[in-house]
Amino acid sequence: APPSAPPNLFKRGRGPLRKFRGVTRLLLTKIPFFKEIIVSSFTCGSCAWSNTEIQSVGRIQEQGVRYTLAATARQDMNREVVKTDCATARIPELDFEIPAFSQKGALTTIEGIIDRAVAGLEQDQPVRRAADKDVAGKIDEFIGKLKQLKEVDSSFTFIIDDPSGNSFVENPRAPQKDDALVVTHYRRTAQQDAMLGLEVLRLGGEGVLKSEVLQFNTNCPECNAPANTNMKLVQIPHFKEVIIMATNCEACGHRTNEVKSGGAIEPLGTRITLRVTDPSDMTRDLLKSETCSVEIPELEFELGMGALGGKFTTLEGLLKDIRNLIVKNPFTLGDSSTPSRVEKLQEFGRKVYQIMEGHMEAHFILDDPAGNSYLQNVYAPEEDPQLKVEHYERTFAQNEDLGLNDMRTEGYETGLTSER
């Protein structure tokens, strides 16, 4: 069956109702620096109607994601965009919004999203002109403003907000940071969880997490087969308790692990800087929470918070994950690659390997506004001359990302009583 039937898929002639058959093609592909998706394309040979949609292969992510792009050049219109069904697209300068679930998911560009919006507005204009010329005139004026945006004569802001965390806006400078693109991961509200059909798992009984390994059913993120996830509360020496979650798929052999902080958000953010000078530094234990960003100034590299999720590993293990994330992507393989980009990414991989082998000195920085990340001090309880730990006051924007600005920690019981 086609992704969505066009109005003229069924045509009536002189005889009985006739049905014209089309062809639906499915393609499993991977978006560089993102994830796998299914592209569904339908074409009707009789009327030439066509339609393209996308579906995320993975599950709903732990956090929602918001991409904010400051479009300043015509090239920004060519950025690839994955917009899922539940994502909202906004252009604040025009007070324009494409609500969630109003369109099917699409793999397109920013220009394509604007063209799609223009086509939707123009579709019923002949009827509007006959019924209400004033309304039709205002819509024509707004359509002109949308078309003018594609020329980027003046800068504007493009926002994709997806509670499921499965939308994406391309960073053409990857793996370097794109100053024009801000990626924000956030905790979903109860209303957003309900919109996505999620239920909150509540664990009862004090001390249950400390005394045993909990197991619950889930689906493999690679093949979607039923799998089991084990969860255990672990105490990290000289730090705090964390929850380690491990999934092992018997169907495809995929294994994954993730770490969640077992405590509250700390009063201050933490910035940990390690000067890597020796291969032995690669054996240091490391806890990277989901709110932590990673920087390597010598490589001009920055990994935003939320990327790679939470991890309890070694410094070498995290560097390998970063190297695989950057080097093993479709831009370095097949017809989609370009020589300059391939060389750029391979050079990055060589430098990461040199750091792991001790042939190149570098600074490794963990910046966690929630204060829940950790890098082992091998001299503990004495000070480590190669390790610098700084605590800082969070900015308003960082508190907003963590959901702290609207959080009530005092007097909330009185508010709940009055609401009841």
Side-chain angles (χ1 to χ4, degrees), residues 85-106:
D85 298 9
C86 56
T88 300
R90 297 199 303 271
I91 301 177
E93 287 79 0
L94 295 184
D95 197 20
F96 174 70
E97 177 175 315
I98 302 175
F101 299 107
S102 63
Q103 293 180 348
K104 294 290 185 179

Side-chain angles (χ1 to χ4, degrees), residues 330-341:
F331 275 153
T332 63
L333 304 170
D335 296 336
S336 63
S337 63
T338 60
S340 60
R341 180 164 288 183

Side-chain angles (χ1 to χ4, degrees), residues 130-384:
D132 193 331
K133 292 184 178 180
D134 292 338
V135 173
K138 291 179 181 179
I139 293 178
D140 282 334
E141 181 182 352
F142 188 80
I143 290 174
K145 292 180 180 179
L146 282 176
K147 291 181 177 179
Q148 191 63 31
L149 282 182
K150 297 191 297 181
E151 302 302 323
V152 199
D153 293 331
S154 61
S155 62
F156 66 92
T157 306
F158 178 81
I159 302 173
I160 288 282
D161 193 332
D162 187 355
S164 74
N166 287 324
S167 289
F168 169 77
V169 176
E170 179 191 6
N171 171 10
R173 299 186 68 246
Q176 273 74 40
K177 181 181 178 181
D178 187 350
D179 294 331
L181 184 65
V182 178
V183 184
T184 305
H185 297 268
Y186 60 86
R187 298 178 185 271
R188 284 186 292 269
T189 64
Q191 290 82 358
Q192 289 172 325
D193 280 334
M195 179 183 72
L196 298 173
L198 299 178
E199 296 181 359
V200 179
L201 176 64
R202 300 187 182 275
L203 301 174
E206 293 185 5
V208 172
L209 290 178
K210 295 183 179 180
S211 60
E212 61 183 85
V213 176
L214 298 181
Q215 187 177 88
F216 55 91
N217 298 326
T218 183
N219 290 80
C220 174
E222 290 293 326
C223 68
N224 208 37
N228 292 324
T229 294
N230 297 323
M231 182 169 64
K232 182 71 171 70
L233 189 65
V234 177
Q235 174 70 45
I236 296 180
H238 306 288
F239 189 52
K240 60 173 69 174
E241 291 179 335
V242 297
I243 299 173
I244 297 180
M245 305 173 67
T247 302
N248 184 14
C249 178
E250 296 181 356
C252 68
H254 176 75
R255 295 184 180 183
T256 182
N257 66 79
E258 191 171 357
V259 177
K260 302 287 187 183
S261 173
I265 294 175
E266 295 296 318
L268 299 174
T270 302
R271 182 180 175 89
I272 305 172
T273 303
L274 173 67
R275 184 168 176 261
V276 180
T277 58
D278 190 86
S280 62
D281 289 326
M282 296 295 105
T283 63
R284 292 178 185 249
D285 288 335
L286 179 148
L287 171 65
K288 175 194 171 297
S289 77
E290 62 270 20
T291 59
C292 179
S293 62
V294 179
E295 297 178 44
I296 306 177
E298 287 78 4
L299 303 185
E300 297 182 2
F301 173 77
E302 180 176 340
L303 184 71
M305 74 176 194
L308 292 178
K311 284 187 174 291
F312 182 40
T313 178
T314 61
L315 180 57
E316 182 180 16
L318 184 59
L319 286 174
K320 284 182 178 179
D321 289 338
I322 291 174
R323 184 173 179 267
N324 291 337
L325 176 69
I326 301 302
V327 175
K328 294 183 179 180
N329 72 79
F331 275 153
T332 63
L333 304 170
D335 296 336
S336 63
S337 63
T338 60
S340 60
R341 180 164 288 183
V342 169
E343 177 58 30
K344 181 180 178 182
L345 297 180
Q346 289 180 346
E347 177 64 20
F348 177 86
R350 286 192 291 268
K351 289 183 178 179
V352 172
Y353 183 77
Q354 290 175 3
I355 293 174
M356 290 191 293
E357 292 296 312
H359 301 317
M360 177 180 176
E361 293 189 3
H363 290 81
F364 185 85
I365 303 173
L366 296 175
D367 193 340
D368 188 355
N372 288 325
S373 293
Y374 162 83
L375 187 57
Q376 183 185 10
N377 175 2
V378 293
Y379 294 88
E382 304 296 330
E383 289 189 5
D384 188 334

